Structures are given as structure tokens and as C-alpha cells.
Amino acid sequence: MSDILDLHNKVALITGAGQGVGRQIALHFAAHGAAGIVVNDYFLDRAEEVAREINVTGGKAIAAQADVTDLAAVKAMVKRAEEALGPVDILVNNAGNAGAVPDPDARKPFWETGPAVWNSFIGVNLYGVINSASACIPRMIENNRGRIITIISDAGRAGEAGLEVYSGAKAGAAGFTRAIARSLGRYQITANCVAIAATLTPAIEARLKANPEMEKKMMEKYVIRRPGRPNDIANMVLFLASEASSWI
């Protein structure tokens, strides 16, 4: 019986895949037969480590340094990916948070900050998604196939006190993804979002361990009384990248 989650002959680009959720998505894709994986990160050493992890276990991956807020850099990355692996069939917009190098004031109330902080959230969470989609969509249309998966946040659906601009940027990414889903469905290209809540990436895990009371209060709001794990998100993204989700 064939594996409906198999990514046979598919090339995937995962932004912000040098650690955490993005890394796990890359490992999941490799374990399910992806023909090639472009591991993007702002920091090349992170991307190289994940690509190495995939290649030593029999997968095929390349590291690609690029700032997703820079359209020219993203287009150059996609061109290099095509030359090395072939056209991108699956785009996972995972890069997020406050960007690769967060502004020291990023956690202050937004009314105490200004455009430098706001743009750090909007740049990576909204423009990063738009830039990456813009670079990948033309070849997807040409090939009459594709998957675009955008990692958003519950903050983008419901709003999050203290993360006002981040919430707005994620809501914008969700709206953009819904719109391109309508535009691209005729070309057998699907576009979906995965809205996640607190997930045990290294940074979040360290914060929760340092403040058990914060974790307790947070989990009171969760129907499933635990934080997410990178595997949880990677499983959903794998499903949306596969033929199992071709009508979603």
C-alpha cells in the first residue's frame, strides 16, 4: 500500500528552518521521501547543521542563507534552489517571531515603541510570507502544482495582549494566504495556514522552565493541557504538503 503522505519527487523550501519548528518540518519531509529540501535561515551555520543532519541520514538538502524580508535575496535563493534541486513544489513560510535579530524593545508595549520595532514583526511575519510566495508561485503555476503552507499563530486569530503588532502581522499573513488560495486553486496549488500556540522550541522551553507559574496560567487556557511540540506542527504541515490534502 502506498504512503499517502509520501513527498516523492517534491522539492520543499522551508524558511526559518535552522531550529525549532522549522527544523522538525525539514526532518519530517526528509523522512517522507522529499526529493530535496531547501533549509533556509538568516544564520547560515544553523541551516548548514540541519541540512547536514538530513544528508547523513540519506536525504537530500541544501542550506540557503537569506533574509526573507529582502525580496531580491529571496528570489536569488529560489533561483539557487532550482539550479541545485529543481523547482520548488512546497513552500513552508515558517520564519517568524521578531525576526532573526530582535530589537531590544520588542517586548515593550507597542505604544512605547516605534516603526523600528513594528517593522521587525511586520517584515518577517507578513512581508517574509509575501516575498517567498512571490518568488515561488510563477513556477508552481507553470508546473500546475504546488503547496503553500504558512505558519501563523493563535495571536493572529484571537489577538494577544503584549503582542499587538505581531498579532496584526500574523493576521495579515493569514488573510494573504486565504486570498492566494482563491487565486491559485485553479492551478492545483493549495494554500493553507497552521495556527499554533505556545510550542516547546528552545527559546519557549527556557522561558517556561524559568517561570513555572506562567506556564501554569497559560495551560489553563488550553483545551489540551500541554504546550505544543515541534512534532505536533510538523505532522500537520506534512499532511498539508502531501497528496492527502489535495482538496483542502
Side-chain angles (χ1 to χ4, degrees), residues 34-184:
I37 299 167
V38 184
V39 181
N40 160 259
D41 203 274
Y42 184 87
F43 298 104
L44 181 59
D45 59 332
R46 288 181 185 172
E48 287 177 334
E49 181 58 35
V50 176
R52 190 178 303 115
E53 195 173 355
I54 291 168
N55 290 327
V56 298
T57 56
K60 188 172 184 180
I62 63 170
Q65 190 283 331
D67 179 351
V68 296
T69 69
D70 181 339
L71 177 58
V74 171
K75 286 188 172 182
M77 172 177 64
V78 171
K79 183 179 179 182
R80 292 195 305 272
E82 287 191 1
E83 291 169 352
L85 300 172
V88 173
D89 302 293
I90 304 163
L91 167 64
V92 182
N93 292 306
N94 170 74
N97 295 319
V101 185
D103 189 289
D105 293 333
R107 292 296 174 183
K108 288 184 177 179
F110 91 91
W111 53 87
E112 294 180 8
T113 63
V117 171
W118 306 342
N119 290 338
S120 69
F121 287 111
I122 295 168
V124 68
N125 293 290
L126 180 53
Y127 276 105
V129 173
I130 294 170
N131 289 341
S132 300
S134 172
C136 293
I137 284 171
R139 285 302 296 271
M140 289 182 177
I141 291 174
E142 183 182 322
N143 293 331
N144 206 53
R145 68 173 188 267
R147 298 283 184 272
I148 298 170
I149 303 153
T150 301
I151 306 299
I152 61 165
S153 167
D154 250 12
R157 294 191 315 111
E160 182 71 27
L163 291 172
E164 294 85 359
V165 180
Y166 174 79
S167 298
K170 286 297 191 185
F176 172 78
T177 303
R178 291 188 189 101
I180 60 172
R182 291 180 177 273
S183 300
L184 299 175

Side-chain angles (χ1 to χ4, degrees), residues 7 18 65 116 172 189 194:
L7 301 181
Q65 190 283 331
I189 301 166
V194 177

